[in-house]
Amino acid sequence: MSRVRLSALREPLVTAERSLAQVTDEVCAPIERRPNTRWWLALLGAASALCFGLVCYIRTLSTGLGVWGLNNTVGWGVDITNFVFWIGIGHAGTLISAILFLFRQQWRTSVNRAAEAMTIFAVTCAGLDVIVHMGRPWLAFWTLPYPNTRGSLWVNFRSPLIWDVFAVSTYFTISLVFWYVGLLPDLATVRDRAKGRIRKLVFSLLSLGWNGSHRTWSRYETVYLLLAGLATPLVLSVHSIVSMDFATSLLPGWHTTIFPPYFVAGAVFSGFAMVLTLMLIVRAVLGWQHLITTRHLENMAKIMIVTGGIMALAYATELFTAWYSGNAYELFTFRNRMSGPYAWAYWTMVGCNVLAPQLLWFKKLRTSPIVLFPLSLVINVGMWLERFVIIVTSLHRDFVPSNWTMYWPTWVELGITIGWFGLFFTLFLLFTRALPMVSIAEVKSVLDYGREPRREPASVPWPAPIAPEFVAGSQEGAV
Amino acid sequence: MRDRESHLVAGGRRWLVVAVAAGLIAFILGLLFRPVQAWSAFLVSSFFFLTVALGGLVFLAIMYVSNAGWHTVFKRVPEALAACLPASAFSMLAILAGARWLYPWTHADAVLHDELLSAKAPYLNTGFFAARMVGVLALWVFFALMTRRYSLRQDAHADIKYTRRNVVLSAIFLALFPFSFSMASIDWLMSLDPHWASTIVGLYQIAGLLSTAVAAISIVGILLRRRGALPDLTETHLHDLGKLLFGFSTMWAYLWFSQYLLIWYTNLPEETTHYLVRLQGGASFLFYLNVVLNWALPFVVLLRRPAKRSEGTLLWTSTVVLVGRWLDIHLQVVPAVAPDRLQGPMGIGFLDVALLLGFGAAFLLMTDRALGKAPLLAEGDPYLVEALHH
């Protein structure tokens, strides 16, 4: 890294002077000491939420789906809202680890590990949610296509719901493999530092005999690049297919061609909000402000401006086309969203997803953790509501007015929703104790990024960085 | 500012002037004998070259806001493309003169007898249409001129403040661009068939614009490099341009497929008309050719690393993509304006080609002129050092 010539405008990625060993010590510290009371309290909270969710699910199982607020008109409610929400959260990790890797964005090194872990936990929630929302979850395996003895009963390959099964399971598998491969060098580091025998054994097995040789590194880099290439289309495909659960229907508010890119943008938007929520807590609790710097926060905020902008464009286009198409039903759906009984949800969504992110235009605000933290929560609320608005408001007043009805989630559904957050945070808390939260090997590679110019004599004025031999025309001296 | 030797067109200037003149004559003859065909050909080529110029500006703006450094070595190329934006804007304004040949909603009696058109009249009427057109074109031209101005000033003063100003300008531009360009795509292309609507059209055209921009930048950059004018444009830069072309062309295909799949699946008559008219008749092969040129071919060719780093491969793949881009716009416009034209064996007429060549020649001459106005290497740019060692 240090041999790449950088513009004088580049700033260091790791803002404190650290040696290689210090980085290892710092990142390994949380997993090598005993957890403190704060962590136990957090785990207690998360696990309680998870248990409450479990209780609610057991009630659903023992009594039937009737304990939910769904009815004949509104057949999808909070269940599918949760599914789409968690799948969306699961998008930032792969974007950071795969797409930003392909774009050679070196700032990703401090945040990619935790973001990928978050992705996997979120997709776990989404995958389980699909099973939870089934009337007969013990028959969940019927969604898999395989030769069977049920009168050769095959899945309907033309159904987007089946595409979902393929898309989500592929995404989960690739994300997990990608995460694991990226972990290998760090697992070996933890192994080499391990004191206890069991710990040593576990991490020896996990690190697959990593020996840090040039050959190992060379193969690792190749595999990582290939997996990044494979994971990139998945970032787009998963949420595109989720959007098709809706857009392939005839329903106004669901059937619109912008849905695939709009869902993908929304997923990245909400995913980054969740990464920010988690990273802001992690850096504050562990004092890692020099690893996860304000610039990391700022860059993530910028990505949120971009994806939030695409969301605003999609909202505006949908609204305009509802009028422009001249379709009375389409127009009614949007009017109903804006002034019907669920208008509160629509306007909260607009406030959270379109208006609130505009604060990020100001550098002062987007570099301030005190602003970013509540904002990331607001965006998550907005994105959850967005899915609720799309699903429920399109359904509850359909083509036949005698079908019109309202949908209110029962305490069981809300309990399961809380349970998902419990599961997500429980898994994340366990992760913070078990594995290095920051990619040690990758951060080491950017330790002196943007530092060297500072070591040169301070008297060099700008624009000196272009040494005479590098100016065009006399290329002989150039490296 | 001193005038420099022309690198892009070199000895071909005379032929380009001839092509411009031929295009102009063909257009005038077309206006006299086949006005609908002439105006649709004019709209296609005019919009196509507008996206090339605007694409240059969007590319620059993205580079500025993402603090990119690698492109600095060839940043004068997108700047030169963007310098053609005022001329492209004027050619788009000329469409106002031909609107009655292209847009059914400009005819009062048609609107009166069509319930849907009457409902859309508050938006689709000549006055408002012209006002929107002038507005968005002025907006883009303003940003193009300002960005270029700061960039040229930096050559003289090498002051970092010009980079910072351009970052701010680009951020504002990028916030406005998707909205304005979506609106322009709806106005200029989608409203040719005012009964049909699709929400993805704006994003679809934006994806097309991005792949147009990268293809055009690659072509001009490689031509300059071949003439020895841009020796610092290395294989590594070409590699990155190749990756971007690969990525954007795939993004275009993704949006193309999203629209096609959703309309095919739902099978609503008011939406499928768009595809039916393009899929029937002798020229329906153009519909498939569009996907081959814009995506399948660049995808297969550019998948390999050596292909992206090869000057020759990138040059001809970019050319194929540009031809594909033109065809894509042709397929948006012509079947909407004159559905029967795709019934013939070709679907592309003499006028279409003549205007494309005329516009293309004029565009090349203007790009060359813009390139000659400033040093090809932006020596005052603080990121140049990175691009030279990319």
Side-chain angles (χ1 to χ4, degrees), chain A residues 427-442:
Chain A
L427 288 172
F428 195 82
L429 283 165
L430 292 177
F431 158 73
T432 61
R433 301 291 321 158
L435 295 166
M437 261 177 289
V438 166
S439 174
I440 306 171
E442 288 191 65

Side-chain angles (χ1 to χ4, degrees), chain A residues 70-210:
Chain A
L70 299 175
N71 49 53
N72 278 341
T73 308
V74 185
W76 274 354
V78 163
D79 48 351
I80 298 298
T81 305
N82 284 335
F83 165 69
V84 182
F85 174 77
W86 285 114
I87 283 283
I89 296 295
H91 270 60
T94 316
L95 187 111
I96 290 177
S97 53
I99 296 187
L100 294 187
F101 177 76
L102 295 182
F103 277 117
R104 305 276 183 244
Q105 292 295 304
Q106 291 172 335
W107 62 272
R108 68 184 262 292
T109 49
S110 307
V111 286
N112 68 339
R113 170 74 41 78
E116 279 178 75
M118 181 204 79
T119 288
I120 289 161
F121 305 147
V123 179
T124 306
C125 289
L128 291 176
D129 191 290
V130 172
I131 296 174
V132 164
H133 104 291
M134 290 177 176
R136 289 178 291 170
W138 49 91
L139 296 180
F141 66 93
W142 280 17
T143 58
L144 303 174
Y146 64 97
N148 56 62
T149 52
R150 302 190 295 272
S152 192
L153 185 66
W154 284 84
V155 296
N156 180 6
F157 284 106
R158 282 195 179 184
S159 161
L161 300 177
I162 284 306
W163 307 344
D164 250 353
V165 175
F166 303 149
V168 175
S169 52
T170 311
Y171 186 63
F172 181 76
T173 313
I174 295 284
S175 300
L176 191 66
V177 171
F178 194 33
W179 184 57
Y180 179 59
V181 168
L183 263 167
L184 285 175
D186 288 1
L187 290 173
T189 306
V190 178
R191 171 198 66 192
D192 296 342
R193 295 165 58 92
K195 297 258 161 51
R197 281 185 60 184
I198 297 175
R199 188 181 176 83
K200 188 137 202 137
L201 179 72
V202 169
F203 279 94
S204 298
L205 290 174
L206 283 177
S207 56
L208 301 181
W210 179 277

